[in-house]
Amino acid sequence: MTILGLDRISLFCTCLGPDDAPALLLVHGWGGDGREWSPHAEALADRFRVLVPDLRGHGRSEVPAKGNTPAEMADDLAALINALATGPVTAVGHSMGGQVVNLLAIHHPHTVRSVIALDPAHGAHGAEVEQIPARLAEYEEHGARAAASFVAGAFSPQAPPGLRTAHVRTMLGTPDHVIAQAYAGMYTAPDAVGVRPHSEAYLRRRPQPALTVWTSAEAAEWERGTLRVPGSRVDHWPDTGHYLHEERVERTTRLIRDWAAVENSSRGFVSGL
């Protein structure tokens, strides 16, 4: 599958694995695209139907002039899941994608079985919040160039060779207005949920079990205090950069496989495999 024309937008999406297997949705972050999930998708396609979209404004999907925000992206993914008739998915998202899959779970609960959020773009506080206005102004003026400089510092010394360069290139290929609109949609728009008090309110509305993985010990401890759904969990992976799913591909793949297998089993999904 390539371009899927939905009523609201056209999305580029690839699907791997058997049609009758439980579905996984793998969602990239700000200024990225679905290619970052390629090794995970291949490894997981033996037991799952793996959906890997490019979000609106990113990769090979349609680029609207307006509305390139996490809330609109979540609505797009709900339309995608309904169009593909997969049934509820295990929705996995990194960074902004983590915010998107949580919004999907809250606003379209029938589409989501459970959530896995990897270093999600919520819970900002303190100095990070103080920097948001200046960062947004920089993204509005310089777009992808400013974002690429920020992303270049998001990797640990243990990151695989070439990973930083790949993300800088992908970010530079993202339209400038998408960079600014998506950042505002995460943190400053009226319905933004990225700042901690708003994050807490929206996480408490999530009805499904969720597994969140943080590279920050403080953030992990904070989110543990917000959980209200039985079966949810927060993990902390130290000594790992923000792109933890690509720095630790095998560990991430194993985490997704194990979590999804348990959740599907507990909710009575029977695969045709």
PDB file of all heavy atoms in Angstrom, residues 171-210:
ATOM      1  N   MET A 171      14.518  15.943   8.800  1.00  0.00           N
ATOM      2  CA  MET A 171      13.962  17.184   9.328  1.00  0.00           C
ATOM      3  C   MET A 171      14.083  18.312   8.309  1.00  0.00           C
ATOM      4  O   MET A 171      13.138  19.071   8.092  1.00  0.00           O
ATOM      5  CB  MET A 171      14.677  17.571  10.622  1.00  0.00           C
ATOM      6  CG  MET A 171      14.137  18.826  11.284  1.00  0.00           C
ATOM      7  SD  MET A 171      12.441  18.669  11.894  1.00  0.00           S
ATOM      8  CE  MET A 171      12.726  17.809  13.451  1.00  0.00           C
ATOM      9  N   LEU A 172      15.232  18.422   7.662  1.00  0.00           N
ATOM     10  CA  LEU A 172      15.437  19.481   6.674  1.00  0.00           C
ATOM     11  C   LEU A 172      14.511  19.328   5.472  1.00  0.00           C
ATOM     12  O   LEU A 172      14.237  20.310   4.768  1.00  0.00           O
ATOM     13  CB  LEU A 172      16.896  19.497   6.215  1.00  0.00           C
ATOM     14  CG  LEU A 172      17.907  20.018   7.236  1.00  0.00           C
ATOM     15  CD1 LEU A 172      19.330  19.785   6.741  1.00  0.00           C
ATOM     16  CD2 LEU A 172      17.677  21.494   7.541  1.00  0.00           C
ATOM     17  N   GLY A 173      14.028  18.120   5.236  1.00  0.00           N
ATOM     18  CA  GLY A 173      13.092  17.890   4.140  1.00  0.00           C
ATOM     19  C   GLY A 173      11.639  18.137   4.501  1.00  0.00           C
ATOM     20  O   GLY A 173      10.760  18.005   3.646  1.00  0.00           O
ATOM     21  N   THR A 174      11.365  18.492   5.757  1.00  0.00           N
ATOM     22  CA  THR A 174       9.994  18.764   6.202  1.00  0.00           C
ATOM     23  C   THR A 174       9.669  20.241   5.961  1.00  0.00           C
ATOM     24  O   THR A 174      10.472  21.108   6.298  1.00  0.00           O
ATOM     25  CB  THR A 174       9.845  18.437   7.701  1.00  0.00           C
ATOM     26  OG1 THR A 174      10.275  17.089   7.938  1.00  0.00           O
ATOM     27  CG2 THR A 174       8.403  18.584   8.146  1.00  0.00           C
ATOM     28  N   PRO A 175       8.513  20.556   5.387  1.00  0.00           N
ATOM     29  CA  PRO A 175       8.182  21.960   5.095  1.00  0.00           C
ATOM     30  C   PRO A 175       8.232  22.837   6.341  1.00  0.00           C
ATOM     31  O   PRO A 175       7.804  22.428   7.429  1.00  0.00           O
ATOM     32  CB  PRO A 175       6.758  21.870   4.526  1.00  0.00           C
ATOM     33  CG  PRO A 175       6.673  20.494   3.942  1.00  0.00           C
ATOM     34  CD  PRO A 175       7.480  19.628   4.866  1.00  0.00           C
ATOM     35  N   ASP A 176       8.724  24.052   6.155  1.00  0.00           N
ATOM     36  CA  ASP A 176       8.911  24.959   7.285  1.00  0.00           C
ATOM     37  C   ASP A 176       7.620  25.229   8.049  1.00  0.00           C
ATOM     38  O   ASP A 176       7.609  25.260   9.284  1.00  0.00           O
ATOM     39  CB  ASP A 176       9.499  26.291   6.796  1.00  0.00           C
ATOM     40  CG  ASP A 176      10.932  26.169   6.319  1.00  0.00           C
ATOM     41  OD1 ASP A 176      11.608  25.180   6.674  1.00  0.00           O
ATOM     42  OD2 ASP A 176      11.380  27.063   5.577  1.00  0.00           O
ATOM     43  N   HIS A 177       6.522  25.423   7.328  1.00  0.00           N
ATOM     44  CA  HIS A 177       5.274  25.739   8.032  1.00  0.00           C
ATOM     45  C   HIS A 177       4.764  24.557   8.841  1.00  0.00           C
ATOM     46  O   HIS A 177       4.120  24.746   9.885  1.00  0.00           O
ATOM     47  CB  HIS A 177       4.202  26.226   7.043  1.00  0.00           C
ATOM     48  CG  HIS A 177       3.597  25.161   6.193  1.00  0.00           C
ATOM     49  ND1 HIS A 177       4.242  24.607   5.101  1.00  0.00           N
ATOM     50  CD2 HIS A 177       2.386  24.521   6.271  1.00  0.00           C
ATOM     51  CE1 HIS A 177       3.459  23.711   4.528  1.00  0.00           C
ATOM     52  NE2 HIS A 177       2.333  23.632   5.225  1.00  0.00           N
ATOM     53  N   VAL A 178       5.084  23.339   8.404  1.00  0.00           N
ATOM     54  CA  VAL A 178       4.684  22.147   9.163  1.00  0.00           C
ATOM     55  C   VAL A 178       5.449  22.085  10.482  1.00  0.00           C
ATOM     56  O   VAL A 178       4.875  21.781  11.539  1.00  0.00           O
ATOM     57  CB  VAL A 178       4.916  20.876   8.330  1.00  0.00           C
ATOM     58  CG1 VAL A 178       4.672  19.617   9.168  1.00  0.00           C
ATOM     59  CG2 VAL A 178       4.022  20.881   7.104  1.00  0.00           C
ATOM     60  N   ILE A 179       6.741  22.396  10.425  1.00  0.00           N
ATOM     61  CA  ILE A 179       7.556  22.408  11.642  1.00  0.00           C
ATOM     62  C   ILE A 179       6.955  23.340  12.677  1.00  0.00           C
ATOM     63  O   ILE A 179       6.757  22.974  13.851  1.00  0.00           O
ATOM     64  CB  ILE A 179       8.999  22.837  11.311  1.00  0.00           C
ATOM     65  CG1 ILE A 179       9.683  21.801  10.413  1.00  0.00           C
ATOM     66  CG2 ILE A 179       9.804  23.084  12.576  1.00  0.00           C
ATOM     67  CD1 ILE A 179       9.870  20.447  11.046  1.00  0.00           C
ATOM     68  N   ALA A 180       6.649  24.569  12.282  1.00  0.00           N
ATOM     69  CA  ALA A 180       6.134  25.560  13.220  1.00  0.00           C
ATOM     70  C   ALA A 180       4.727  25.198  13.704  1.00  0.00           C
ATOM     71  O   ALA A 180       4.429  25.285  14.908  1.00  0.00           O
ATOM     72  CB  ALA A 180       6.130  26.938  12.568  1.00  0.00           C
ATOM     73  N   GLN A 181       3.845  24.772  12.789  1.00  0.00           N
ATOM     74  CA  GLN A 181       2.481  24.440  13.203  1.00  0.00           C
ATOM     75  C   GLN A 181       2.444  23.238  14.135  1.00  0.00           C
ATOM     76  O   GLN A 181       1.672  23.215  15.110  1.00  0.00           O
ATOM     77  CB  GLN A 181       1.628  24.164  11.966  1.00  0.00           C
ATOM     78  CG  GLN A 181       1.304  25.394  11.145  1.00  0.00           C
ATOM     79  CD  GLN A 181       0.513  25.061   9.893  1.00  0.00           C
ATOM     80  OE1 GLN A 181      -0.131  24.003   9.790  1.00  0.00           O
ATOM     81  NE2 GLN A 181       0.547  25.951   8.912  1.00  0.00           N
ATOM     82  N   ALA A 182       3.262  22.231  13.844  1.00  0.00           N
ATOM     83  CA  ALA A 182       3.270  21.040  14.701  1.00  0.00           C
ATOM     84  C   ALA A 182       3.789  21.373  16.093  1.00  0.00           C
ATOM     85  O   ALA A 182       3.250  20.893  17.102  1.00  0.00           O
ATOM     86  CB  ALA A 182       4.110  19.946  14.054  1.00  0.00           C
ATOM     87  N   TYR A 183       4.838  22.187  16.171  1.00  0.00           N
ATOM     88  CA  TYR A 183       5.368  22.568  17.482  1.00  0.00           C
ATOM     89  C   TYR A 183       4.331  23.369  18.276  1.00  0.00           C
ATOM     90  O   TYR A 183       4.096  23.087  19.459  1.00  0.00           O
ATOM     91  CB  TYR A 183       6.650  23.381  17.317  1.00  0.00           C
ATOM     92  CG  TYR A 183       7.354  23.654  18.623  1.00  0.00           C
ATOM     93  CD1 TYR A 183       8.187  22.699  19.201  1.00  0.00           C
ATOM     94  CD2 TYR A 183       7.188  24.862  19.285  1.00  0.00           C
ATOM     95  CE1 TYR A 183       8.831  22.942  20.412  1.00  0.00           C
ATOM     96  CE2 TYR A 183       7.820  25.118  20.488  1.00  0.00           C
ATOM     97  CZ  TYR A 183       8.640  24.157  21.047  1.00  0.00           C
ATOM     98  OH  TYR A 183       9.269  24.406  22.244  1.00  0.00           O
ATOM     99  N   ALA A 184       3.689  24.336  17.625  1.00  0.00           N
ATOM    100  CA  ALA A 184       2.636  25.087  18.301  1.00  0.00           C
ATOM    101  C   ALA A 184       1.496  24.167  18.730  1.00  0.00           C
ATOM    102  O   ALA A 184       0.939  24.310  19.833  1.00  0.00           O
ATOM    103  CB  ALA A 184       2.112  26.193  17.383  1.00  0.00           C
ATOM    104  N   GLY A 185       1.160  23.208  17.871  1.00  0.00           N
ATOM    105  CA  GLY A 185       0.099  22.271  18.212  1.00  0.00           C
ATOM    106  C   GLY A 185       0.424  21.406  19.409  1.00  0.00           C
ATOM    107  O   GLY A 185      -0.476  20.963  20.133  1.00  0.00           O
ATOM    108  N   MET A 186       1.704  21.151  19.620  1.00  0.00           N
ATOM    109  CA  MET A 186       2.116  20.373  20.789  1.00  0.00           C
ATOM    110  C   MET A 186       2.079  21.179  22.076  1.00  0.00           C
ATOM    111  O   MET A 186       1.743  20.651  23.141  1.00  0.00           O
ATOM    112  CB  MET A 186       3.523  19.811  20.577  1.00  0.00           C
ATOM    113  CG  MET A 186       3.621  18.656  19.608  1.00  0.00           C
ATOM    114  SD  MET A 186       5.270  17.913  19.596  1.00  0.00           S
ATOM    115  CE  MET A 186       6.127  18.998  18.438  1.00  0.00           C
ATOM    116  N   TYR A 187       2.421  22.488  21.994  1.00  0.00           N
ATOM    117  CA  TYR A 187       2.722  23.214  23.224  1.00  0.00           C
ATOM    118  C   TYR A 187       1.971  24.526  23.451  1.00  0.00           C
ATOM    119  O   TYR A 187       1.801  24.923  24.608  1.00  0.00           O
ATOM    120  CB  TYR A 187       4.222  23.504  23.291  1.00  0.00           C
ATOM    121  CG  TYR A 187       5.059  22.258  23.365  1.00  0.00           C
ATOM    122  CD1 TYR A 187       5.856  21.867  22.294  1.00  0.00           C
ATOM    123  CD2 TYR A 187       5.045  21.443  24.496  1.00  0.00           C
ATOM    124  CE1 TYR A 187       6.617  20.710  22.351  1.00  0.00           C
ATOM    125  CE2 TYR A 187       5.793  20.282  24.558  1.00  0.00           C
ATOM    126  CZ  TYR A 187       6.582  19.921  23.480  1.00  0.00           C
ATOM    127  OH  TYR A 187       7.316  18.770  23.538  1.00  0.00           O
ATOM    128  N   THR A 188       1.560  25.244  22.420  1.00  0.00           N
ATOM    129  CA  THR A 188       1.010  26.583  22.656  1.00  0.00           C
ATOM    130  C   THR A 188      -0.408  26.789  22.157  1.00  0.00           C
ATOM    131  O   THR A 188      -1.037  27.778  22.524  1.00  0.00           O
ATOM    132  CB  THR A 188       1.914  27.662  22.006  1.00  0.00           C
ATOM    133  OG1 THR A 188       1.885  27.528  20.583  1.00  0.00           O
ATOM    134  CG2 THR A 188       3.346  27.546  22.515  1.00  0.00           C
ATOM    135  N   ALA A 189      -0.927  25.915  21.315  1.00  0.00           N
ATOM    136  CA  ALA A 189      -2.290  26.069  20.799  1.00  0.00           C
ATOM    137  C   ALA A 189      -3.301  25.910  21.941  1.00  0.00           C
ATOM    138  O   ALA A 189      -2.994  25.335  22.992  1.00  0.00           O
ATOM    139  CB  ALA A 189      -2.553  25.035  19.712  1.00  0.00           C
ATOM    140  N   PRO A 190      -4.512  26.440  21.760  1.00  0.00           N
ATOM    141  CA  PRO A 190      -5.519  26.337  22.830  1.00  0.00           C
ATOM    142  C   PRO A 190      -5.779  24.907  23.303  1.00  0.00           C
ATOM    143  O   PRO A 190      -6.077  24.685  24.482  1.00  0.00           O
ATOM    144  CB  PRO A 190      -6.770  26.955  22.189  1.00  0.00           C
ATOM    145  CG  PRO A 190      -6.234  27.906  21.174  1.00  0.00           C
ATOM    146  CD  PRO A 190      -4.991  27.251  20.628  1.00  0.00           C
ATOM    147  N   ASP A 191      -5.676  23.931  22.381  1.00  0.00           N
ATOM    148  CA  ASP A 191      -5.929  22.540  22.762  1.00  0.00           C
ATOM    149  C   ASP A 191      -4.641  21.741  22.955  1.00  0.00           C
ATOM    150  O   ASP A 191      -4.671  20.505  23.043  1.00  0.00           O
ATOM    151  CB  ASP A 191      -6.800  21.847  21.722  1.00  0.00           C
ATOM    152  CG  ASP A 191      -6.178  21.839  20.317  1.00  0.00           C
ATOM    153  OD1 ASP A 191      -5.152  22.528  20.117  1.00  0.00           O
ATOM    154  OD2 ASP A 191      -6.716  21.145  19.433  1.00  0.00           O
ATOM    155  N   ALA A 192      -3.498  22.414  23.059  1.00  0.00           N
ATOM    156  CA  ALA A 192      -2.215  21.718  23.207  1.00  0.00           C
ATOM    157  C   ALA A 192      -2.136  21.027  24.565  1.00  0.00           C
ATOM    158  O   ALA A 192      -2.604  21.545  25.574  1.00  0.00           O
ATOM    159  CB  ALA A 192      -1.062  22.711  23.060  1.00  0.00           C
ATOM    160  N   VAL A 193      -1.487  19.858  24.584  1.00  0.00           N
ATOM    161  CA  VAL A 193      -1.405  19.070  25.822  1.00  0.00           C
ATOM    162  C   VAL A 193       0.041  18.806  26.247  1.00  0.00           C
ATOM    163  O   VAL A 193       0.296  17.986  27.120  1.00  0.00           O
ATOM    164  CB  VAL A 193      -2.158  17.727  25.673  1.00  0.00           C
ATOM    165  CG1 VAL A 193      -3.635  17.962  25.424  1.00  0.00           C
ATOM    166  CG2 VAL A 193      -1.551  16.880  24.549  1.00  0.00           C
ATOM    167  N   GLY A 194       1.014  19.515  25.656  1.00  0.00           N
ATOM    168  CA  GLY A 194       2.404  19.203  25.928  1.00  0.00           C
ATOM    169  C   GLY A 194       2.941  19.702  27.245  1.00  0.00           C
ATOM    170  O   GLY A 194       3.903  19.146  27.785  1.00  0.00           O
ATOM    171  N   VAL A 195       2.347  20.766  27.810  1.00  0.00           N
ATOM    172  CA  VAL A 195       2.819  21.325  29.079  1.00  0.00           C
ATOM    173  C   VAL A 195       2.191  20.545  30.231  1.00  0.00           C
ATOM    174  O   VAL A 195       1.028  20.161  30.176  1.00  0.00           O
ATOM    175  CB  VAL A 195       2.485  22.827  29.150  1.00  0.00           C
ATOM    176  CG1 VAL A 195       2.870  23.409  30.511  1.00  0.00           C
ATOM    177  CG2 VAL A 195       3.209  23.573  28.035  1.00  0.00           C
ATOM    178  N   ARG A 196       2.955  20.324  31.270  1.00  0.00           N
ATOM    179  CA  ARG A 196       2.623  19.328  32.295  1.00  0.00           C
ATOM    180  C   ARG A 196       1.200  19.398  32.857  1.00  0.00           C
ATOM    181  O   ARG A 196       0.526  18.347  32.911  1.00  0.00           O
ATOM    182  CB  ARG A 196       3.668  19.356  33.409  1.00  0.00           C
ATOM    183  CG  ARG A 196       3.530  18.215  34.388  1.00  0.00           C
ATOM    184  CD  ARG A 196       4.797  17.945  35.168  1.00  0.00           C
ATOM    185  NE  ARG A 196       5.863  17.404  34.331  1.00  0.00           N
ATOM    186  CZ  ARG A 196       6.998  16.889  34.824  1.00  0.00           C
ATOM    187  NH1 ARG A 196       7.207  16.867  36.127  1.00  0.00           N
ATOM    188  NH2 ARG A 196       7.926  16.413  34.005  1.00  0.00           N
ATOM    189  N   PRO A 197       0.678  20.539  33.294  1.00  0.00           N
ATOM    190  CA  PRO A 197      -0.693  20.508  33.829  1.00  0.00           C
ATOM    191  C   PRO A 197      -1.716  20.023  32.809  1.00  0.00           C
ATOM    192  O   PRO A 197      -2.640  19.267  33.147  1.00  0.00           O
ATOM    193  CB  PRO A 197      -0.943  21.975  34.220  1.00  0.00           C
ATOM    194  CG  PRO A 197       0.409  22.551  34.435  1.00  0.00           C
ATOM    195  CD  PRO A 197       1.300  21.871  33.433  1.00  0.00           C
ATOM    196  N   HIS A 198      -1.558  20.424  31.550  1.00  0.00           N
ATOM    197  CA  HIS A 198      -2.472  19.962  30.494  1.00  0.00           C
ATOM    198  C   HIS A 198      -2.237  18.479  30.190  1.00  0.00           C
ATOM    199  O   HIS A 198      -3.182  17.741  29.902  1.00  0.00           O
ATOM    200  CB  HIS A 198      -2.285  20.797  29.238  1.00  0.00           C
ATOM    201  CG  HIS A 198      -2.483  22.269  29.448  1.00  0.00           C
ATOM    202  ND1 HIS A 198      -3.689  22.815  29.821  1.00  0.00           N
ATOM    203  CD2 HIS A 198      -1.608  23.309  29.363  1.00  0.00           C
ATOM    204  CE1 HIS A 198      -3.572  24.117  29.941  1.00  0.00           C
ATOM    205  NE2 HIS A 198      -2.317  24.453  29.673  1.00  0.00           N
ATOM    206  N   SER A 199      -0.991  18.052  30.279  1.00  0.00           N
ATOM    207  CA  SER A 199      -0.671  16.643  30.053  1.00  0.00           C
ATOM    208  C   SER A 199      -1.348  15.769  31.094  1.00  0.00           C
ATOM    209  O   SER A 199      -1.907  14.706  30.784  1.00  0.00           O
ATOM    210  CB  SER A 199       0.840  16.425  30.100  1.00  0.00           C
ATOM    211  OG  SER A 199       1.517  17.225  29.163  1.00  0.00           O
ATOM    212  N   GLU A 200      -1.291  16.199  32.338  1.00  0.00           N
ATOM    213  CA  GLU A 200      -1.906  15.414  33.407  1.00  0.00           C
ATOM    214  C   GLU A 200      -3.402  15.264  33.185  1.00  0.00           C
ATOM    215  O   GLU A 200      -3.972  14.178  33.351  1.00  0.00           O
ATOM    216  CB  GLU A 200      -1.614  16.070  34.750  1.00  0.00           C
ATOM    217  CG  GLU A 200      -0.150  15.993  35.155  1.00  0.00           C
ATOM    218  CD  GLU A 200       0.159  16.755  36.432  1.00  0.00           C
ATOM    219  OE1 GLU A 200      -0.747  17.480  36.922  1.00  0.00           O
ATOM    220  OE2 GLU A 200       1.293  16.633  36.937  1.00  0.00           O
ATOM    221  N   ALA A 201      -4.044  16.358  32.792  1.00  0.00           N
ATOM    222  CA  ALA A 201      -5.489  16.305  32.566  1.00  0.00           C
ATOM    223  C   ALA A 201      -5.833  15.357  31.436  1.00  0.00           C
ATOM    224  O   ALA A 201      -6.786  14.566  31.529  1.00  0.00           O
ATOM    225  CB  ALA A 201      -6.012  17.713  32.265  1.00  0.00           C
ATOM    226  N   TYR A 202      -5.051  15.373  30.361  1.00  0.00           N
ATOM    227  CA  TYR A 202      -5.402  14.517  29.223  1.00  0.00           C
ATOM    228  C   TYR A 202      -5.024  13.068  29.457  1.00  0.00           C
ATOM    229  O   TYR A 202      -5.753  12.155  29.068  1.00  0.00           O
ATOM    230  CB  TYR A 202      -4.843  15.111  27.938  1.00  0.00           C
ATOM    231  CG  TYR A 202      -3.682  14.461  27.241  1.00  0.00           C
ATOM    232  CD1 TYR A 202      -3.859  13.750  26.061  1.00  0.00           C
ATOM    233  CD2 TYR A 202      -2.370  14.610  27.704  1.00  0.00           C
ATOM    234  CE1 TYR A 202      -2.794  13.202  25.373  1.00  0.00           C
ATOM    235  CE2 TYR A 202      -1.294  14.071  27.022  1.00  0.00           C
ATOM    236  CZ  TYR A 202      -1.508  13.367  25.856  1.00  0.00           C
ATOM    237  OH  TYR A 202      -0.436  12.831  25.182  1.00  0.00           O
ATOM    238  N   LEU A 203      -3.931  12.800  30.161  1.00  0.00           N
ATOM    239  CA  LEU A 203      -3.567  11.413  30.444  1.00  0.00           C
ATOM    240  C   LEU A 203      -4.602  10.734  31.331  1.00  0.00           C
ATOM    241  O   LEU A 203      -4.847   9.537  31.201  1.00  0.00           O
ATOM    242  CB  LEU A 203      -2.189  11.359  31.104  1.00  0.00           C
ATOM    243  CG  LEU A 203      -0.997  11.674  30.203  1.00  0.00           C
ATOM    244  CD1 LEU A 203       0.285  11.732  31.015  1.00  0.00           C
ATOM    245  CD2 LEU A 203      -0.871  10.664  29.075  1.00  0.00           C
ATOM    246  N   ARG A 204      -5.218  11.489  32.219  1.00  0.00           N
ATOM    247  CA  ARG A 204      -6.245  10.902  33.091  1.00  0.00           C
ATOM    248  C   ARG A 204      -7.505  10.535  32.325  1.00  0.00           C
ATOM    249  O   ARG A 204      -8.333   9.764  32.826  1.00  0.00           O
ATOM    250  CB  ARG A 204      -6.565  11.878  34.219  1.00  0.00           C
ATOM    251  CG  ARG A 204      -5.423  12.024  35.219  1.00  0.00           C
ATOM    252  CD  ARG A 204      -5.784  12.934  36.370  1.00  0.00           C
ATOM    253  NE  ARG A 204      -4.640  13.082  37.280  1.00  0.00           N
ATOM    254  CZ  ARG A 204      -4.092  14.233  37.634  1.00  0.00           C
ATOM    255  NH1 ARG A 204      -4.589  15.365  37.179  1.00  0.00           N
ATOM    256  NH2 ARG A 204      -3.068  14.268  38.454  1.00  0.00           N
ATOM    257  N   ARG A 205      -7.652  11.056  31.115  1.00  0.00           N
ATOM    258  CA  ARG A 205      -8.823  10.730  30.296  1.00  0.00           C
ATOM    259  C   ARG A 205      -8.601   9.490  29.437  1.00  0.00           C
ATOM    260  O   ARG A 205      -9.550   8.984  28.838  1.00  0.00           O
ATOM    261  CB  ARG A 205      -9.161  11.913  29.384  1.00  0.00           C
ATOM    262  CG  ARG A 205      -9.632  13.157  30.105  1.00  0.00           C
ATOM    263  CD  ARG A 205      -9.761  14.317  29.140  1.00  0.00           C
ATOM    264  NE  ARG A 205     -10.642  13.984  28.017  1.00  0.00           N
ATOM    265  CZ  ARG A 205     -10.669  14.665  26.864  1.00  0.00           C
ATOM    266  NH1 ARG A 205      -9.835  15.672  26.689  1.00  0.00           N
ATOM    267  NH2 ARG A 205     -11.495  14.311  25.905  1.00  0.00           N
ATOM    268  N   ARG A 206      -7.381   9.011  29.364  1.00  0.00           N
ATOM    269  CA  ARG A 206      -7.062   7.863  28.503  1.00  0.00           C
ATOM    270  C   ARG A 206      -7.651   6.597  29.115  1.00  0.00           C
ATOM    271  O   ARG A 206      -7.279   6.185  30.203  1.00  0.00           O
ATOM    272  CB  ARG A 206      -5.546   7.755  28.368  1.00  0.00           C
ATOM    273  CG  ARG A 206      -5.054   6.647  27.457  1.00  0.00           C
ATOM    274  CD  ARG A 206      -3.529   6.633  27.443  1.00  0.00           C
ATOM    275  NE  ARG A 206      -2.992   6.447  28.784  1.00  0.00           N
ATOM    276  CZ  ARG A 206      -1.756   6.792  29.159  1.00  0.00           C
ATOM    277  NH1 ARG A 206      -0.927   7.348  28.315  1.00  0.00           N
ATOM    278  NH2 ARG A 206      -1.351   6.581  30.397  1.00  0.00           N
ATOM    279  N   PRO A 207      -8.553   5.901  28.419  1.00  0.00           N
ATOM    280  CA  PRO A 207      -9.213   4.731  29.010  1.00  0.00           C
ATOM    281  C   PRO A 207      -8.440   3.426  28.862  1.00  0.00           C
ATOM    282  O   PRO A 207      -8.729   2.455  29.564  1.00  0.00           O
ATOM    283  CB  PRO A 207     -10.536   4.664  28.245  1.00  0.00           C
ATOM    284  CG  PRO A 207     -10.221   5.239  26.899  1.00  0.00           C
ATOM    285  CD  PRO A 207      -9.186   6.306  27.145  1.00  0.00           C
ATOM    286  N   GLN A 208      -7.475   3.373  27.950  1.00  0.00           N
ATOM    287  CA  GLN A 208      -6.793   2.116  27.657  1.00  0.00           C
ATOM    288  C   GLN A 208      -5.509   1.980  28.488  1.00  0.00           C
ATOM    289  O   GLN A 208      -4.913   2.975  28.908  1.00  0.00           O
ATOM    290  CB  GLN A 208      -6.422   2.027  26.174  1.00  0.00           C
ATOM    291  CG  GLN A 208      -7.575   2.159  25.230  1.00  0.00           C
ATOM    292  CD  GLN A 208      -7.843   3.623  24.850  1.00  0.00           C
ATOM    293  OE1 GLN A 208      -7.371   4.538  25.516  1.00  0.00           O
ATOM    294  NE2 GLN A 208      -8.607   3.824  23.794  1.00  0.00           N
ATOM    295  N   PRO A 209      -5.064   0.742  28.695  1.00  0.00           N
ATOM    296  CA  PRO A 209      -3.747   0.540  29.309  1.00  0.00           C
ATOM    297  C   PRO A 209      -2.656   1.143  28.442  1.00  0.00           C
ATOM    298  O   PRO A 209      -2.762   1.143  27.206  1.00  0.00           O
ATOM    299  CB  PRO A 209      -3.608  -0.985  29.388  1.00  0.00           C
ATOM    300  CG  PRO A 209      -4.987  -1.521  29.240  1.00  0.00           C
ATOM    301  CD  PRO A 209      -5.732  -0.535  28.390  1.00  0.00           C
ATOM    302  N   ALA A 210      -1.614   1.643  29.078  1.00  0.00           N
ATOM    303  CA  ALA A 210      -0.534   2.271  28.331  1.00  0.00           C
ATOM    304  C   ALA A 210       0.808   1.915  28.938  1.00  0.00           C
ATOM    305  O   ALA A 210       0.953   1.807  30.162  1.00  0.00           O
ATOM    306  CB  ALA A 210      -0.704   3.789  28.313  1.00  0.00           C
TER     307      ALA A 210
END
